[in-house]
Amino acid sequence: MSLEDEAQRELDELRERSLLRTPRVVDGRQGPTVVVDGREVVSFSSNDYLGLAGDPRLARAAAAASEVEGAGVGSSRLVVGNHREHVALEAAVADWVRCGAATMFNTGYAANVGVLGALLRAGDVVFSDALNHASIVDGCRLSRAEVVVFPHRDLAALERELVQRTDRRRRIVVSESLFSMDGDCADVAALAELCRRHDAAWILDEAHAVGVRGPEGRGFAAEAGVVPDVLIGTFGKALGSFGAFVATTPAIAALLWNRARPLVFSTGLPPAVAAASRAAIEVVRGGEGDERRRMLAARATRLRELVPDLGGIAEGPIAPRLVGSDAAVMKLSARLFEERLYVQGIRPPTVPVGTARLRISLSSAHTVEMVEQLARSLVRS
Ligand SMILES: *Cc1c(COP(=O)(O)O)cnc(C)c1O
């Protein structure tokens, strides 16, 4: 059978099982309303939690930077592509999250693959939460370390695994703080203490928490007053831009320059992107960031008052509604779309088999009326 025929057969099978994925087309800016496939809908599908993706200040910072610096940097940052804008952004991150050194990666996906690959090798062991993001899963696999998957948020189980493997060269625990598809949260204070007690290193992925939680939007670790060995944050979600950062110590950052393959072997970000991210940090750190976080929490609280069976932490922006069957969740998502409410259905392999769900994500830019409209629709379904 030709590759083409095999591809077609695989697609048919995915469609049969309600697992086929196809991208929709968006016109114009991201925001609480968005034009999807030519139809204006209220979007509850974006990770733009603070409504910054369409913010004119970010767009202007990007435009100004590309006007002066051009569109691309021409090579990996280790060759001729380490632009002043990258360095300025890293300094802004280090100042914001108060770490010894920050290193940018082109995406959060690349950051996880890069960090895990740089810090682990065969003979090491990595302990990974069962619901960690695909980029962490892939980073663990590529690292060649032994991977121990512990049950979601089960620190007693994690501790049992840790004590059984004290002889390894390096032991690293990796977890998200705010989990992307469940909207629940790791107990970061307890994780910090557990890692300290068992002399394990700790990587915390705060992709969905930076901007959203903690003092100045620095995330859950900052809120709890604990410091992971490596903190990963993204610019593409609450910060409304693109790319990711790794906040760590100078020695670990220097090692990443030598061993993190996505950093070494990939072209640096356009200066415009770095400039937009720096503009976003300014907003997120300040009083306006606090106001946006307050509005986001209020929207999240209101939705959960009206629809009590949603998942996720009380004030959190990720509110999944468990449906179970893949066909049913796509039908429900399509029905909401007809009502001009865009709520993405999430299916395996993004979530475990049998746990398909609507993933509702809220933004400070949603009006209370939008949230109430969604609630009315959900209550009917
Ligand atoms: C989205 C996400 C990433 C990937 O970030 P990108 O910048 O979109 O590549 C990494 N980790 C977690 C937990 C995420 O949710």
Side-chain angles (χ1 to χ4, degrees):
M1 197 185 275
S2 73
L3 186 57
E4 160 76 14
D5 291 342
E6 276 178 37
Q8 197 53 59
R9 209 167 69 175
E10 209 168 316
L11 288 169
D12 292 343
E13 191 198 320
L14 285 170
R15 187 179 293 105
E16 189 77 16
R17 297 168 58 203
S18 299
L19 288 176
L20 189 68
R21 299 172 182 220
T22 49
R24 302 182 191 239
V25 179
V26 171
D27 281 301
R29 280 173 197 258
Q30 290 291 332
T33 61
V34 69
V35 178
V36 178
D37 288 348
R39 172 189 280 242
E40 188 172 340
V41 291
V42 183
S43 167
F44 292 97
S45 290
S46 175
N47 303 312
D48 179 24
Y49 303 120
L50 299 182
L52 290 175
D55 192 287
R57 290 167 295 182
L58 273 61
R60 276 199 298 271
S66 56
E67 189 66 37
V68 177
E69 321 288 0
V73 298
S75 75
S76 146
R77 292 178 64 199
L78 279 167
V79 183
V80 73
N82 189 32
H83 196 277
R84 182 72 53 202
E85 282 289 350
H86 300 149
V87 179
L89 175 58
E90 286 171 342
V93 170
D95 183 64
W96 172 39
V97 303
R98 305 181 188 181
C99 62
T103 307
M104 274 166 53
F105 279 75
N106 288 357
T107 63
Y109 187 100
N112 277 323
V113 168
V115 165
L116 290 160
L119 301 183
L120 290 161
R121 49 177 131 108
D124 295 339
V125 56
V126 57
F127 304 87
S128 176
D129 186 286
L131 294 189
N132 275 343
H133 189 260
S135 57
I136 300 175
V137 174
D138 292 359
C140 289
R141 287 180 184 157
L142 282 168
S143 76
R144 298 197 178 91
E146 181 192 356
V147 184
V148 175
V149 176
F150 62 92
H152 181 49
R153 296 174 63 229
D154 186 343
L155 298 192
L158 170 58
E159 183 158 30
R160 284 193 297 276
E161 301 287 0
L162 276 164
V163 296
Q164 281 171 27
R165 291 175 182 79
T166 50
D167 57 330
R168 307 304 159 85
R169 183 191 77 115
R170 192 169 279 169
R171 300 179 306 149
I172 297 183
V173 174
V174 57
S175 177
E176 297 181 35
S177 60
L178 186 62
F179 281 85
S180 60
M181 295 300 139
D182 289 67
D184 58 350
C185 192
D187 183 343
V188 292
L191 258 176
E193 170 55 22
L194 187 64
C195 291
R196 193 197 57 74
R197 204 164 61 238
H198 292 282
D199 197 25
W202 179 32
I203 299 174
L204 186 65
D205 182 344
E206 300 233 52
H208 292 271
V210 291
V212 169
R213 290 293 291 235
E216 296 184 296
R218 285 186 276 128
F220 275 99
E223 189 172 306
V226 295
V227 181
D229 295 286
V230 176
L231 184 149
I232 288 161
T234 51
F235 292 115
K237 289 166 180 162
L239 279 95
S241 174
F242 182 77
F245 66 83
V246 172
T248 185
T249 64
I252 294 172
L255 189 63
L256 294 177
W257 279 109
N258 288 275
R259 296 227 196 281
R261 294 169 68 86
L263 183 60
V264 176
F265 296 107
S266 196
T267 302
L269 284 175
V273 171
S277 297
R278 198 144 55 91
I281 291 174
E282 284 306 305
V283 177
V284 160
R285 287 189 76 165
E288 184 182 336
D290 290 334
E291 178 59 16
R292 285 174 189 249
R293 283 184 281 280
R294 196 192 58 71
M295 287 171 69
L296 175 61
R299 306 290 177 271
T301 303
R302 182 70 185 138
L303 182 63
R304 288 186 175 86
E305 277 167 14
L306 297 170
V307 192
D309 64 342
L310 299 177
I313 54 169
E315 293 187 344
I318 303 166
R321 168 175 265 200
L322 195 67
V323 174
S325 118
D326 303 324
V329 79
M330 295 324 282
K331 216 170 124 193
L332 184 52
S333 175
R335 207 209 72 208
L336 291 170
F337 196 79
E338 289 305 308
E339 299 175 21
R340 298 186 180 271
L341 298 167
Y342 182 30
V343 188
Q344 185 69 45
I346 306 286
R347 296 162 287 171
T350 308
V351 293
V353 171
T355 70
R357 68 202 63 184
L358 289 176
R359 177 182 183 272
I360 299 156
S361 67
L362 294 161
S363 163
S364 60
H366 285 129
T367 63
V368 174
E369 290 69 36
M370 289 170 178
V371 171
E372 290 173 351
Q373 188 199 348
L374 174 66
R376 279 194 298 276
S377 255
L378 289 174
V379 167
R380 261 188 275 119
S381 66

